Amino acid sequence: MQKRKLEVCYTPALLPLYDIKNSIVVVIDIFRATSSICYGIENGALGIIPVASVEECISFEKEGYLLAAERDGKVVAGFDFGNSPFAYAEDKVNGKTIVLTTTNGTHAIDESKKTAYQVIIGSFLNLDAVCNYLKSQDKDVFLLCAGWKNKFNLEDTLFAGAVVNQLKADDYFLDDASIAADDLYQIAEDDLEAYTAKTSHSERLKKLGIEEDIKFCLNLNIVKSIPVLKDNKLVKM
Amino acid sequence: MQKRKLEVCYTPALLPLYDIKNSIVVVIDIFRATSSICYGIENGALGIIPVASVEECISFEKEGYLLAAERDGKVVAGFDFGNSPFAYAEDKVNGKTIVLTTTNGTHAIDESKKTAYQVIIGSFLNLDAVCNYLKSQDKDVFLLCAGWKNKFNLEDTLFAGAVVNQLKADDYFLDDASIAADDLYQIAEDDLEAYTAKTSHSERLKKLGIEEDIKFCLNLNIVKSIPVLKDNKLVKM
């Protein structure tokens, strides 16, 4: 294998600066979109269709799909559910197709699919599965943090760092953002919950009363599946 | 004083996401533009006029100013000098006005001056002076990393972290980017040179044969001056 690029992009707003046509893009929105997507696919969801707007989500109503919409951490009024991972349990999603729109995560998927070689979904829940897959492919790696409204956030960066930490022994060129993410992860890894508790985003989510969601999203490797984007639908790889 | 915001912006490309009208913006381009500006102002330069383009720089030729232009780490052909700090020594700049354009630093100044309350220049050379000034002002603080061609870079982030580290005991709201910068600085502070040696940017600068510049730019507090932007010219505060 040739030496591959390993890049971390802290927000979708910076995506136009990068050439990702030879890259596997890992979309990361730890609290909570990509954690829930991984959990839903593991639990038998046939597919999850990420859409950018609430309006687009509603347009799928007639198809008999489950409609999931989150904005600013809350379920949008009139929708089946939002992006709490507990809504993606087996009894709720097995055999179903879900249409999902979220504040940050679906925007990141939407932007990256235009030019990426491939788009997959990462979270702490499927960390090892994602890393093993990336190592096995002769492709550049692009870790795309969804951030918060296009700004940097810590929890997505920590997951990016966890991936860099596993991949860096292989033959990759690391950019500065990868080096920083890895160093931050090494500070946090012994107690992810304590570390993320100091972030501004975690504070906001706590106010929403979803501490249990946060705790769940920091579980390591309880999911073996990797959701991959195929024809605008996330399905089990 | 009211609780102030303390924000770090990793690249000028993200500037439009922030409201900085009540913020003192500290522009940071450690290797080498803002280090050289601080050193030049300390050494008696009457003023440094930052301009965005090489063409704009040339347009000042008739005024009898010193013309400095750097692109991709090199002095642009035909110019007096670029942004090596050694070109800003007392015997070269005392009593002179300089017109400067650089790959990253002057772009960051240009973008922030449009809306900021005030724009000042920071570097490790004047770290304590900058921190003491910020603490004394009843204003929000916005640490603007010039980055590398609008991407994140480590050395600018480390300086931002050094400022956060000094300010955080005071009453500020820290955003996630501030928390991360502070944590990275704490990893690096015992040996800034060793830490920055692992960055991609440092590698590039080494190829340009300017290791001495890099070493110089990591000196702490050899400069007491704070350059401040007044009428589009950086002068001693």
Side-chain angles (χ1 to χ4, degrees):
Chain A
M1 281 190 196
Q2 278 202 307
K3 196 153 183 164
R4 294 163 285 177
K5 280 189 300 180
L6 173 48
E7 296 173 309
V8 174
C9 182
Y10 289 138
T11 126
L14 298 179
L15 197 51
L17 301 172
Y18 295 86
D19 174 7
I20 57 171
K21 65 176 185 298
N22 195 41
S23 300
I24 300 172
V25 174
V26 183
V27 176
I28 304 161
D29 184 8
I30 296 303
F31 297 153
R32 303 163 285 170
T34 63
S35 301
S36 296
I37 290 168
C38 293
Y39 194 53
I41 292 294
E42 179 86 352
N43 286 328
L46 294 179
I48 298 177
I49 303 170
V51 296
S53 70
V54 171
E55 293 67 33
E56 208 180 338
C57 198
I58 292 171
S59 75
F60 282 86
E61 199 165 15
K62 291 176 234 160
E63 317 276 349
Y65 297 158
L66 291 175
L67 302 188
E70 170 267 352
R71 283 294 180 276
D72 296 326
K74 294 174 207 157
V75 177
V76 178
F79 281 79
D80 299 330
F81 53 102
N83 64 359
S84 166
F86 299 113
Y88 294 73
E90 194 173 355
D91 60 322
K92 295 180 178 111
V93 302
N94 188 24
K96 305 277 175 61
T97 296
I98 301 158
V99 185
L100 170 67
T101 183
T102 73
T103 309
N104 306 294
T106 51
H107 171 65
I109 295 167
D110 222 49
E111 287 302 305
S112 53
K113 74 183 181 193
K114 295 171 188 166
T115 49
Y117 167 75
Q118 187 179 54
V119 177
I120 67 173
I121 303 297
S123 68
F124 286 109
L125 306 185
N126 69 343
L127 170 64
D128 285 356
V130 165
C131 291
N132 291 335
Y133 173 68
L134 294 173
K135 284 193 261 189
S136 75
Q137 301 298 303
D138 188 16
K139 288 286 168 192
D140 297 327
V141 172
F142 189 79
L143 306 175
L144 177 58
C145 301
W148 181 257
K149 297 189 177 178
N150 276 325
K151 290 181 183 170
F152 172 93
N153 83 23
L154 261 176
E155 65 274 13
D156 295 347
T157 304
L158 288 181
F159 175 76
V163 176
V164 175
N165 200 258
Q166 287 202 29
L167 265 57
K168 66 181 180 185
D170 282 41
D171 212 20
Y172 287 96
F173 286 112
L174 271 61
D175 68 351
D176 276 16
S178 298
I179 296 167
D182 180 27
D183 282 343
L184 290 167
Y185 175 67
Q186 289 182 53
I187 295 174
E189 66 176 327
D190 289 338
D191 193 344
L192 285 175
E193 209 179 320
Y195 191 83
T196 55
K198 69 178 177 174
T199 70
S200 57
H201 190 54
S202 162
E203 204 48 48
R204 180 170 45 235
L205 294 178
K206 264 184 199 151
K207 278 181 198 149
L208 296 165
I210 48 183
E211 290 96 328
E212 289 307 310
D213 283 16
I214 295 175
K215 205 175 274 189
F216 183 83
C217 292
L218 297 175
N219 276 307
L220 289 174
N221 299 315
I222 60 168
V223 163
K224 305 288 172 219
S225 312
I226 302 173
V228 59
L229 194 68
K230 278 197 180 152
D231 302 326
N232 292 326
K233 188 189 288 193
L234 294 163
V235 296
K236 194 169 181 164
M237 187 184 279
Chain B
M1 281 190 196
Q2 277 201 308
K3 197 152 182 164
R4 294 162 286 178
K5 282 190 298 181
L6 173 49
E7 296 173 308
V8 174
C9 182
Y10 289 138
T11 126
L14 298 178
L15 198 51
L17 301 172
Y18 295 86
D19 174 7
I20 56 170
K21 65 176 186 297
N22 195 40
S23 299
I24 299 171
V25 174
V26 183
V27 176
I28 303 162
D29 185 7
I30 296 302
F31 298 151
R32 301 166 282 170
T34 63
S35 301
S36 296
I37 291 168
C38 292
Y39 195 51
I41 292 294
E42 179 86 351
N43 286 329
L46 293 179
I48 299 178
I49 303 169
V51 297
S53 71
V54 171
E55 293 67 34
E56 207 181 337
C57 198
I58 293 171
S59 75
F60 282 88
E61 200 165 14
K62 291 176 235 159
E63 318 276 348
Y65 297 158
L66 291 174
L67 302 189
E70 170 268 353
R71 282 296 179 274
D72 295 328
K74 294 174 207 156
V75 177
V76 177
F79 281 79
D80 298 330
F81 54 102
N83 63 0
S84 166
F86 299 113
Y88 295 73
E90 193 174 354
D91 60 323
K92 294 179 180 108
V93 302
N94 189 22
K96 304 277 175 62
T97 296
I98 302 158
V99 185
L100 169 68
T101 182
T102 73
T103 308
N104 307 295
T106 50
H107 171 65
I109 295 167
D110 223 48
E111 286 303 304
S112 54
K113 75 183 182 194
K114 295 170 189 166
T115 48
Y117 167 76
Q118 186 180 53
V119 177
I120 67 173
I121 303 298
S123 68
F124 286 109
L125 307 185
N126 68 344
L127 170 63
D128 285 356
V130 165
C131 292
N132 291 335
Y133 173 68
L134 294 173
K135 284 194 262 188
S136 74
Q137 301 298 303
D138 188 17
K139 288 286 167 192
D140 297 327
V141 171
F142 190 80
L143 306 175
L144 176 58
C145 301
W148 181 258
K149 297 189 177 179
N150 275 326
K151 290 181 182 169
F152 172 92
N153 85 22
L154 261 177
E155 66 274 14
D156 295 347
T157 304
L158 288 182
F159 174 76
V163 176
V164 175
N165 201 258
Q166 288 202 28
L167 266 55
K168 67 182 179 184
D170 283 42
D171 211 21
Y172 287 96
F173 285 112
L174 271 62
D175 67 352
D176 277 16
S178 298
I179 295 166
D182 180 27
D183 281 344
L184 289 166
Y185 175 68
Q186 288 181 52
I187 295 174
E189 65 176 328
D190 288 338
D191 192 344
L192 286 175
E193 209 178 320
Y195 191 84
T196 55
K198 69 178 178 172
T199 71
S200 57
H201 190 54
S202 162
E203 205 47 50
R204 182 171 45 236
L205 293 178
K206 263 182 200 152
K207 278 181 198 148
L208 295 166
I210 47 183
E211 291 97 328
E212 289 307 311
D213 283 17
I214 295 174
K215 204 174 276 189
F216 183 82
C217 293
L218 297 175
N219 276 307
L220 290 174
N221 300 315
I222 60 169
V223 164
K224 305 288 171 221
S225 313
I226 302 173
V228 58
L229 194 68
K230 281 201 178 147
D231 302 325
N232 291 325
K233 188 188 288 193
L234 294 162
V235 295
K236 193 168 183 166
M237 186 185 278

